[in-house]
Amino acid sequence: FRCQSKIAGSCQIGGNLSTNAGGIHYLRYGSLRSSVLGLEAVLADGTVLSLMNRNKKDNTGYDLKQFFIGAEGTLGIITKVVLSVPRLPVACNVAVLICPNFK
């Protein structure tokens, strides 16, 4: 899971989505909002709203799942989610450049 934070041992994916937490890998992978393909939420009156979709592109109308991401639980509680998880990189290369001065 690409969204890592300092409290990774005690946080849940639903909580990360409801606060739109980016974590330390935000610059590399983008926001958590962009990786959500579908979700299911329970509204305040007990209605279960299923927006489960596994397609990356869906232009059939309003993208209602985006309202729940970052709403901090005010619109409903996220109970299920479908995420697009990127592959792990095959290698990590590091280069070190040492200069006596910057003039």
Side-chain angles (χ1 to χ4, degrees):
F1 180 58
R2 70 184 189 188
C3 181
Q4 297 292 327
S5 65
K6 292 183 179 180
I7 57 168
S10 63
C11 66
Q12 301 289 321
I13 292 175
N16 286 342
L17 286 172
S18 68
T19 58
N20 197 21
I24 59 175
H25 298 297
Y26 178 81
L27 293 177
R28 175 177 285 177
Y29 297 113
S31 68
L32 187 57
R33 178 184 299 265
S34 64
S35 67
V36 176
L37 299 178
L39 62 82
E40 181 180 274
V42 178
L43 304 180
D45 63 351
T47 305
V48 177
L49 181 63
S50 180
L51 303 168
M52 299 298 279
N53 190 1
R54 293 192 170 126
N55 298 328
K56 288 193 177 190
K57 183 171 181 174
D58 182 16
N59 56 2
T60 58
Y62 292 113
D63 194 6
L64 294 178
K65 69 180 179 291
Q66 298 298 326
F67 288 119
F68 290 95
I69 301 170
E72 297 184 358
T74 57
L75 300 176
I77 304 297
I78 298 172
T79 56
K80 291 182 185 177
V81 65
V82 177
L83 293 174
S84 171
V85 181
R87 295 179 186 213
L88 290 174
V90 292
C92 180
N93 299 323
V94 177
V96 177
L97 177 65
I98 300 173
C99 299
N101 57 23
F102 291 106
K103 291 183 182 182

